[in-house]
Amino acid sequence: MSWHAGQTQAPGEGLMQAPDQSSRRSLVESSTVAPAGASAEPGVDSAAEVELEVAGEAAQLRLGARLAALLRAYPGIVYLRGDLGAGKTTLVRGLLRGLGYQGAVRSPTYTLIEPYEAVDPPVVHLDLYRLADPEELDYLGLRDLLERSALILIEWPERGAGALPPADLELLIEHAADQRRIRLKACPNWAPLLSALSVPLAGLENSD
């Protein structure tokens, strides 16, 4: 697994400070990537970004587990973008395994929503591939979901454009030969998460 960090953490800065949910900023609006060594402050129109490459399903599962360890302090909204077969659900499976869930994990292509209440924080997995109209999200109880302190993982968020709130963290998964290139972009309050993720740990940096 190779790592390319667009944001580094200031020495001594706490990694696991839970972000202020009232300070979320749209990743679409935050188009400027903060330079290396800069610290992202709430209200700054910039986003932290990390790019990495993984090879093999096992490496994607390990990345998901690594994200789980970091996201325990960051309940919020995560977009997962990528073509069919890119590995979005594989990352979700790894994340849930990292949170201790041992049951089956399948993308809720037909039910659209799959909650996982037995993990901490609770996880709600949405797959909007078959969503016919963004307004259908109201009937699915999206508003109630957003009021919870939960980690909300959304595949195919573009299908819910106009009805979904901005993401706190966005992952774009692309095919790169026999690997996957994964770009992670976080709103300013979540920048420390990417700083932590950009430091390879034993067992994660070795791709299959």
Side-chain angles (χ1 to χ4, degrees), residues 8-48:
T8 58
Q9 182 191 13
E13 182 180 3
L15 284 178
M16 304 316 294
Q17 294 287 332
D20 180 358
Q21 297 301 315
S22 65
S23 299
R24 290 178 180 166
R25 296 182 62 81
S26 170
L27 294 177
V28 176
E29 296 173 353
S30 302
S31 57
T32 303
V33 177
S39 59
E41 299 292 339
V44 176
D45 190 17
S46 62

Coordinates of all heavy atoms in Angstrom, one line a residue, residues 8-48:
T8 N -0.6 17.1 6.9 CA 0.2 16.5 8.0 C -0.3 17.1 9.3 O -0.8 18.2 9.3 CB 1.7 16.7 7.9 OG1 1.9 18.1 7.8 CG2 2.3 16.1 6.6
Q9 N -0.1 16.4 10.4 CA -0.6 16.8 11.7 C 0.5 17.6 12.4 O 1.7 17.2 12.4 CB -1.0 15.6 12.5 CG -1.5 15.9 13.9 CD -1.7 14.7 14.7 OE1 -1.1 13.7 14.4 NE2 -2.4 14.8 15.8
A10 N 0.1 18.7 13.1 CA 1.0 19.4 13.9 C 1.5 18.6 15.1 O 0.7 17.9 15.6 CB 0.4 20.7 14.3
P11 N 2.8 18.7 15.4 CA 3.3 17.9 16.6 C 2.5 18.2 17.8 O 2.2 19.3 18.2 CB 4.7 18.4 16.7 CG 5.1 19.0 15.4 CD 3.8 19.5 14.8
G12 N 2.1 17.1 18.5 CA 1.4 17.2 19.7 C -0.1 17.4 19.6 O -0.8 17.4 20.6
E13 N -0.6 17.5 18.4 CA -2.0 17.7 18.2 C -2.8 16.5 18.4 O -2.4 15.4 17.9 CB -2.3 18.2 16.7 CG -3.8 18.6 16.5 CD -3.9 19.0 15.0 OE1 -2.9 19.0 14.3 OE2 -5.1 19.4 14.7
G14 N -3.9 16.5 19.2 CA -4.7 15.3 19.4 C -5.4 14.8 18.2 O -6.0 15.6 17.5
L15 N -5.3 13.5 18.0 CA -5.9 12.9 16.8 C -7.4 12.7 16.9 O -8.1 12.8 16.0 CB -5.2 11.6 16.4 CG -3.8 11.7 15.8 CD1 -3.3 10.3 15.6 CD2 -3.9 12.4 14.5
M16 N -7.9 12.3 18.1 CA -9.2 11.8 18.2 C -10.2 12.8 18.8 O -11.1 12.4 19.5 CB -9.2 10.5 19.0 CG -8.2 9.4 18.5 SD -8.3 9.2 16.7 CE -10.0 8.6 16.5
Q17 N -10.0 14.1 18.5 CA -11.0 15.1 18.9 C -12.2 14.9 18.0 O -12.1 15.1 16.8 CB -10.4 16.5 18.8 CG -9.2 16.8 19.7 CD -9.7 16.9 21.1 OE1 -10.8 17.3 21.4 NE2 -8.8 16.6 22.1
A18 N -13.3 14.6 18.6 CA -14.6 14.5 17.8 C -14.9 15.8 17.2 O -14.9 16.9 17.9 CB -15.7 14.0 18.7
P19 N -15.3 15.9 15.9 CA -15.6 17.1 15.3 C -16.9 17.7 15.7 O -17.8 17.0 16.1 CB -15.6 16.8 13.8 CG -16.0 15.3 13.8 CD -15.4 14.7 15.0
D20 N -17.0 19.0 15.6 CA -18.2 19.7 15.9 C -19.2 19.5 14.8 O -18.9 20.0 13.6 CB -18.0 21.2 16.1 CG -19.2 22.0 16.4 OD1 -20.3 21.4 16.5 OD2 -19.1 23.2 16.7
Q21 N -20.3 18.8 15.0 CA -21.2 18.5 13.9 C -21.8 19.7 13.2 O -22.2 19.7 12.1 CB -22.3 17.6 14.4 CG -21.8 16.2 14.9 CD -21.1 15.5 13.8 OE1 -21.5 15.4 12.7 NE2 -20.0 14.9 14.2
S22 N -21.8 20.9 14.0 CA -22.4 22.1 13.4 C -21.5 22.8 12.4 O -21.8 23.7 11.8 CB -22.8 23.1 14.5 OG -21.6 23.5 15.2
S23 N -20.2 22.3 12.3 CA -19.2 23.0 11.5 C -18.9 22.2 10.2 O -17.9 22.4 9.6 CB -17.9 23.1 12.3 OG -18.2 23.9 13.5
R24 N -19.8 21.3 9.8 CA -19.6 20.6 8.6 C -19.5 21.5 7.4 O -20.2 22.5 7.3 CB -20.7 19.5 8.4 CG -20.7 18.4 9.3 CD -21.9 17.5 9.1 NE -21.9 16.4 10.0 CZ -22.9 15.6 10.1 NH1 -24.0 15.8 9.5 NH2 -22.9 14.6 11.0
R25 N -18.6 21.2 6.5 CA -18.5 22.0 5.2 C -18.6 21.1 4.1 O -18.1 20.0 4.1 CB -17.2 22.8 5.2 CG -17.1 23.8 6.4 CD -15.8 24.5 6.3 NE -15.7 25.3 5.0 CZ -16.3 26.4 4.8 NH1 -17.0 27.0 5.8 NH2 -16.1 27.1 3.7
S26 N -19.2 21.5 3.0 CA -19.4 20.7 1.8 C -18.0 20.5 1.1 O -17.2 21.4 1.0 CB -20.3 21.5 0.8 OG -20.3 20.8 -0.4
L27 N -17.8 19.2 0.8 CA -16.6 18.9 0.0 C -16.6 19.4 -1.4 O -15.6 19.7 -2.0 CB -16.4 17.4 0.0 CG -16.2 16.7 1.3 CD1 -16.1 15.2 1.2 CD2 -14.9 17.2 2.0
V28 N -17.8 19.7 -1.9 CA -17.9 20.3 -3.2 C -17.4 21.7 -3.1 O -16.7 22.2 -4.0 CB -19.3 20.2 -3.7 CG1 -19.5 21.0 -5.1 CG2 -19.8 18.8 -3.9
E29 N -17.8 22.4 -2.1 CA -17.4 23.8 -1.9 C -15.9 23.9 -1.5 O -15.2 24.9 -1.9 CB -18.3 24.5 -0.9 CG -19.7 24.6 -1.3 CD -20.6 25.1 -0.2 OE1 -20.1 25.3 1.0 OE2 -21.8 25.3 -0.4
S30 N -15.4 22.9 -0.7 CA -14.1 23.0 -0.2 C -13.1 22.4 -1.3 O -12.7 21.2 -1.1 CB -14.0 22.2 1.1 OG -14.9 22.8 2.0
S31 N -12.8 23.1 -2.3 CA -12.1 22.5 -3.4 C -10.6 22.7 -3.3 O -9.9 22.1 -4.1 CB -12.6 23.2 -4.8 OG -12.4 24.6 -4.7
T32 N -10.1 23.5 -2.4 CA -8.7 23.7 -2.3 C -8.1 22.8 -1.3 O -8.5 22.7 -0.1 CB -8.4 25.2 -1.8 OG1 -9.0 26.1 -2.7 CG2 -6.9 25.4 -1.7
V33 N -7.1 22.0 -1.7 CA -6.4 21.1 -0.8 C -5.4 21.8 0.0 O -4.6 22.5 -0.5 CB -5.8 19.9 -1.6 CG1 -5.0 19.0 -0.7 CG2 -6.8 19.2 -2.4
A34 N -5.4 21.6 1.3 CA -4.4 22.3 2.2 C -3.1 21.8 1.9 O -2.9 20.6 1.7 CB -4.8 22.1 3.7
P35 N -2.0 22.6 1.9 CA -0.7 22.2 1.6 C -0.1 21.4 2.7 O -0.6 21.5 3.9 CB 0.1 23.5 1.4 CG -0.7 24.5 2.2 CD -2.1 24.1 2.0
A36 N 0.9 20.6 2.4 CA 1.5 19.8 3.5 C 2.1 20.7 4.6 O 2.6 21.7 4.3 CB 2.7 19.0 2.9
G37 N 1.8 20.2 5.8 CA 2.3 21.0 7.0 C 1.3 22.0 7.5 O 1.5 22.5 8.5
A38 N 0.2 22.2 6.7 CA -0.8 23.2 7.2 C -1.7 22.6 8.1 O -2.0 21.4 8.0 CB -1.5 23.8 5.9
S39 N -2.3 23.4 9.0 CA -3.3 22.8 9.9 C -4.6 23.4 9.5 O -4.8 24.6 9.3 CB -3.0 23.3 11.4 OG -2.9 24.7 11.5
A40 N -5.6 22.5 9.4 CA -7.0 22.9 8.9 C -7.7 23.4 10.1 O -7.9 22.7 11.1 CB -7.7 21.8 8.2
E41 N -8.2 24.6 10.1 CA -9.0 25.2 11.2 C -10.4 25.3 10.8 O -10.8 25.5 9.6 CB -8.5 26.6 11.5 CG -7.1 26.7 12.0 CD -6.9 26.1 13.3 OE1 -7.9 25.9 14.0 OE2 -5.7 25.7 13.6
P42 N -11.4 25.1 11.7 CA -12.8 25.2 11.4 C -13.1 26.5 10.7 O -12.6 27.6 11.2 CB -13.5 25.1 12.7 CG -12.5 24.3 13.6 CD -11.1 24.8 13.1
G43 N -13.8 26.5 9.6 CA -14.2 27.7 8.9 C -13.3 28.0 7.8 O -13.6 28.9 7.0
V44 N -12.2 27.3 7.6 CA -11.3 27.6 6.5 C -11.8 26.9 5.3 O -12.1 25.7 5.4 CB -9.8 27.1 6.9 CG1 -8.9 27.3 5.7 CG2 -9.3 27.9 8.0
D45 N -11.8 27.5 4.2 CA -12.4 27.0 3.0 C -11.3 26.1 2.3 O -10.7 26.4 1.3 CB -12.8 28.1 2.0 CG -13.6 27.5 0.8 OD1 -14.0 26.4 0.9 OD2 -13.7 28.2 -0.2
S46 N -11.0 25.0 2.9 CA -10.0 24.0 2.4 C -10.4 22.6 2.9 O -11.1 22.5 3.8 CB -8.6 24.4 2.8 OG -8.5 24.3 4.3
A47 N -9.8 21.6 2.2 CA -10.1 20.2 2.6 C -8.8 19.5 2.6 O -7.9 19.7 1.8 CB -11.0 19.6 1.6
A48 N -8.6 18.5 3.6 CA -7.5 17.7 3.6 C -7.7 16.5 2.7 O -8.8 16.0 2.5 CB -7.3 17.2 5.0

